[in-house]
Amino acid sequence: MKFKYLLLAPAALVAAGCAQLSPKEAVQPVVEPERAERSPVLPNVNLTNPLLFQYLVSEVAGQRGDMGLATEGMLDLAKTTRDPRLAKRATEMALQSRREAPALEAATLWQQIDPDEAQARQAVAAILLNSGRLQEAKPHLEKLLAGEGDKVGGALLHLNQMLSRQKDKPATLALVQELAAPYLNRAEAHFTIAYAAWSAGQDELALREIREASQLRSGWEAAVLFQGQLLQRTSISETLEFYRSLLGEYPKMQDVRLAYARLLVSDRQYVEARAQFEKLLNDLPGNPEVSLSVGLLAMQLKDYDAAEKHLKQALAGQYRDEAMVRMYLGQLFDERERYDEAADWYGSVGRGEQYVPAQIRRAAMLAKQGKLSEARQYLRQIPVLNNQQRVQVVVAEAHLLRDAKAYDEAFELLGKALEKLPNYPDLLYDHAMAAEKLGKIDVLEQDLRKLIQIKPDYAHAYNALGYTLADRTERLDEARQLIEKALELAPDDFFIMDSLGWVHYRMGQLDKAEDTLRRAYTGQHDAEIAAHLGEVLWARGKREEAEKIWRDALKENPGHETLLNVINKFIPAK
């Protein structure tokens, strides 16, 4: 069962911190199409004292925060005068006060008074959409699109923004298909349909539409990135080949190269990923984000000189999170066993979000040098600002004790902390893990069930409880249900997938166990997953493959306790 670590490994940072944009973000920023200035036709109304007085009363009421009175007065003025400027102002006031009915009434009046004003029609459409009245909004949207002429492409993309908050995604997709139907000779129409299809969970339709968009407008990077993200849901290898082929045709597509490099990191192809990042660095010299990515990949490949160079370049280029770069420079020198320099870098992290994690790393470095007592003392003198930071420090100390196999002390430390802070998820989780090491399964179950009650979306709590029940008891059906719930909450978590494979194995479902564990190991080459997969393969008579997986995992994780135990169980030392 996996513990959560205090800091992501460098490759994990590249993969997580450089995650691809969602399709929604890939479309952003989409600006509303520019409109030519026009002067509305104004009514022939004399500005009488009563009209002026009512106008001033409405504006003053608005300034004082009484938007109900302000809207009522301004809307009444607009009805009396039929002045589009007053109808517009009444619409603004009603929207500001979030009063849907008067906002729609004012906007409708504005649109009736000035039927050629696109802003008025757009206001009516937006208000109707905001209340989910899609079909009522449809004729207004159709007229808005028809009025765009050659700029209709931008207006079609703007639909994504207007419709993004709709809860009924299938109905939204149907509306978009109807609105886009007259413009299917334009790439933007297919992009908009693809986005709506993706939002509605219809990936196949989304993929067909985005491919059509790319054919109509070759080299459109936004469409390419969207297509890549859709492909990635089903096949990493197919997505990599798609990016590779496209870059052969369009080598200057920097965003596509960036997406390709990030996906290579996720697929653990670090050497090729580094080559792609270095190409980006040549095209974008001095770019701190790319420098950081290259530095972290070099660090993953243990090319420490190159890692130092690029991380310092990211720092010199004013990377947006300077403290994070300083912490990774500390980790770099820590791995090189240049502890004084590592301590300097950790110490240079200023007060802020990264301060406590950096000091925790510094304490872990002391423990690694055999100075456990000094490391614990260092942790206890870290100034904390709140209970959350206090919990971080306690959990860090417990991890040091766990690594030193001082399980009783870790359990006691976490227990005392829980007496003062009984409802903190991280304390409950780690206390449960310490209990597991001591065989206190009843305490583990009590902690994790309380954690699930406090935080019902905490996937790792369901997983930890399910795995423990599967591994230590015969409550296998209950274990499977807990793990399936965890996987529902975190469907892409390979460690939870490993737990599911393990419970299948314990239930005698060897086919399911092998299939699930292979998928988990493909996604995450972890030593514990390797141990489980090897055991299942051994049970199925595939002993040569099991031994190979164990040996390969042991090369990368020498001394791993779970891995050594399973190897000794099936291949006793002679």
Side-chain angles (χ1 to χ4, degrees):
M1 184 162 45
K2 303 302 292 182
F3 282 87
K4 295 174 292 178
Y5 289 94
L6 298 169
L7 191 63
L8 287 172
L13 180 77
V14 179
C18 299
Q20 292 187 27
L21 295 175
S22 71
K24 178 180 177 181
E25 291 170 319
V27 182
Q28 309 297 334
V30 177
V31 297
E32 183 179 350
E34 295 182 6
R35 305 186 189 282
E37 290 292 331
R38 57 179 295 277
S39 299
V41 177
L42 302 178
N44 185 18
V45 178
N46 292 326
L47 182 61
T48 63
N49 286 336
L51 289 177
L52 178 60
F53 179 74
Q54 187 175 350
Y55 176 81
L56 291 174
V57 167
S58 298
E59 287 291 356
V60 170
Q63 291 173 13
R64 291 180 175 177
D66 189 347
M67 298 308 297
L69 177 61
T71 301
E72 184 180 341
M74 197 64 68
L75 181 54
D76 183 61
L77 267 177
K79 289 177 181 177
T80 301
T81 64
R82 304 288 291 179
D83 190 317
R85 297 169 299 181
L86 297 178
K88 178 182 180 182
R89 184 71 181 119
T91 303
E92 293 169 347
M93 287 177 162
L95 288 172
Q96 188 176 344
S97 62
R98 300 180 183 278
R99 301 176 69 204
E100 183 180 299
L104 182 57
E105 184 181 2
T108 301
L109 177 64
W110 179 20
Q111 193 265 319
Q112 290 171 350
I113 294 170
D114 191 1
D116 294 329
E117 176 51 65
Q119 284 188 345
R121 191 174 295 280
Q122 189 173 53
V124 174
I127 295 165
L128 289 169
L129 289 174
N130 194 51
S131 59
R133 295 153 70 176
L134 300 184
Q135 286 305 308
E136 290 179 64
K138 179 185 170 185
H140 297 284
L141 294 170
E142 286 175 333
K143 288 183 180 179
L144 284 168
L145 290 170
E148 288 299 327
D150 291 340
K151 296 180 181 178
V152 71
L156 284 163
L157 293 178
H158 185 59
L159 282 176
N160 291 326
Q161 287 181 310
M162 295 187 72
L163 297 167
S164 61
R165 295 185 180 180
Q166 293 302 312
K167 294 181 179 179
D168 190 342
K169 301 302 183 184
T172 302
L173 170 59
L175 174 63
V176 167
Q177 287 175 311
E178 291 171 4
L179 292 171
Y183 310 102
L184 294 180
N185 61 332
R186 305 189 67 108
E188 293 89 347
H190 294 279
F191 192 116
T192 302
I193 296 171
Y195 176 74
W198 169 81
S199 299
Q202 295 195 30
D203 288 358
E204 289 186 11
L205 174 60
L207 193 55
R208 286 200 306 271
E209 290 293 335
I210 204 62
R211 281 174 170 157
E212 185 67 28
S214 294
Q215 286 182 1
L216 288 169
R217 184 173 163 186
S218 59
W220 187 14
E221 211 159 358
V224 168
L225 290 169
F226 193 174
Q227 184 173 338
Q229 290 176 66
L230 288 166
L231 287 171
Q232 192 174 327
R233 289 188 169 192
T234 56
S235 173
I236 297 294
S237 60
E238 186 180 348
T239 311
L240 288 171
E241 180 55 37
F242 169 68
Y243 284 143
R244 190 179 300 117
S245 174
L246 197 74
L247 287 168
E249 187 176 357
Y250 300 100
K252 294 299 182 182
M253 277 189 171
Q254 293 173 346
D255 287 343
V256 172
R257 192 174 299 280
L258 187 59
Y260 178 46
R262 290 167 176 168
L263 190 56
L264 286 166
V265 172
S266 298
D267 201 44
R268 301 170 64 89
Q269 296 187 41
Y270 301 130
V271 174
E272 178 59 21
R274 181 178 172 184
Q276 295 302 320
F277 275 117
E278 286 177 342
K279 286 181 181 178
L280 282 167
L281 204 55
N282 288 333
D283 291 338
L284 303 168
N287 183 292
E289 284 79 10
V290 179
S291 293
L292 178 66
S293 297
V294 176
L296 292 174
L297 281 169
M299 194 169 162
Q300 180 74 22
L301 296 168
K302 301 192 183 304
D303 185 350
Y304 294 123
D305 289 337
E308 180 182 352
K309 170 189 170 184
H310 291 297
L311 289 174
K312 287 181 176 178
Q313 283 178 347
L315 201 58
Q318 298 182 326
Y319 181 74
R320 62 182 180 275
D321 190 347
E322 178 184 318
M324 177 65 79
V325 182
R326 291 181 178 277
M327 185 152 66
Y328 272 94
L329 279 162
Q331 186 177 349
L332 170 66
F333 286 103
D334 187 349
E335 289 185 14
R336 300 174 85 172
E337 299 184 355
R338 290 163 57 175
Y339 298 124
D340 289 341
E341 290 168 273
D344 288 342
W345 281 109
Y346 288 139
S348 74
V349 175
R351 296 296 175 89
E353 186 179 347
Q354 304 299 337
Y355 176 74
V356 170
Q359 305 318 305
I360 288 172
R361 292 289 310 184
R362 189 170 180 177
M365 183 176 70
L366 289 169
K368 188 169 68 173
Q369 297 173 73
K371 303 174 182 179
L372 179 59
S373 178
E374 188 178 337
R376 296 179 69 186
Q377 186 60 37
Y378 186 84
L379 284 172
R380 292 179 179 184
Q381 58 82 41
I382 295 175
V384 295
L385 301 176
N386 50 48
N387 283 338
Q388 187 59 49
Q389 290 185 346
R390 188 168 287 108
V391 167
Q392 277 184 276
V393 172
V394 170
V395 168
E397 185 176 353
H399 283 189
L400 296 184
L401 290 167
R402 180 206 68 197
D403 291 343
K405 301 190 186 312
Y407 301 127
D408 285 302
E409 286 184 77
F411 182 74
E412 183 181 355
L413 173 71
L414 291 162
K416 288 180 178 178
L418 272 175
E419 289 174 7
K420 297 177 181 177
L421 301 166
N423 295 321
Y424 270 78
D426 287 347
L427 283 178
L428 283 165
Y429 184 88
D430 278 74
H431 189 250
M433 296 303 96
E436 187 268 340
K437 287 293 186 183
L438 297 172
K440 299 178 183 288
I441 305 305
D442 56 334
V443 176
L444 173 141
E445 184 168 358
Q446 177 181 316
D447 286 342
L448 292 178
R449 291 201 182 279
K450 181 178 179 181
L451 174 50
I452 289 169
Q453 185 177 13
I454 292 170
K455 197 172 181 182
D457 61 346
Y458 200 125
H460 287 283
Y462 294 93
N463 180 56
L465 180 55
Y467 178 87
T468 303
L469 293 179
D471 197 51
R472 300 289 192 94
T473 76
E474 296 302 316
R475 294 158 62 185
L476 300 180
D477 284 333
E478 186 179 355
R480 178 181 52 77
Q481 291 172 17
L482 286 162
I483 295 167
E484 286 176 346
K485 175 63 176 177
L487 204 57
E488 178 185 322
L489 291 168
D492 297 323
D493 192 306
F494 296 110
F495 295 117
I496 299 176
M497 206 176 291
D498 168 58
S499 298
L500 183 62
W502 189 245
V503 78
H504 285 318
Y505 173 59
R506 291 277 287 119
M507 297 176 84
Q509 300 168 347
L510 299 186
D511 286 352
K512 286 185 177 180
E514 181 181 342
D515 179 62
T516 305
L517 287 168
R518 281 193 188 279
R519 283 190 287 123
Y521 193 57
T522 299
Q524 184 73 45
H525 274 58
D526 175 78
E528 191 161 329
I529 300 175
H532 291 158
L533 176 58
E535 185 162 344
V536 170
L537 291 172
W538 190 278
R540 302 202 71 193
K542 303 176 182 181
R543 298 188 173 187
E544 288 186 9
E545 186 180 0
E547 286 191 52
K548 183 179 186 308
I549 287 173
W550 287 334
R551 299 299 181 194
D552 289 347
L554 198 60
K555 287 179 184 176
E556 293 185 16
N557 305 273
H560 191 279
E561 185 177 356
T562 302
L563 201 53
L564 288 172
N565 286 343
V566 76
I567 291 172
N568 291 333
K569 175 182 175 181
F570 292 101
I571 313 174
K574 296 179 181 179

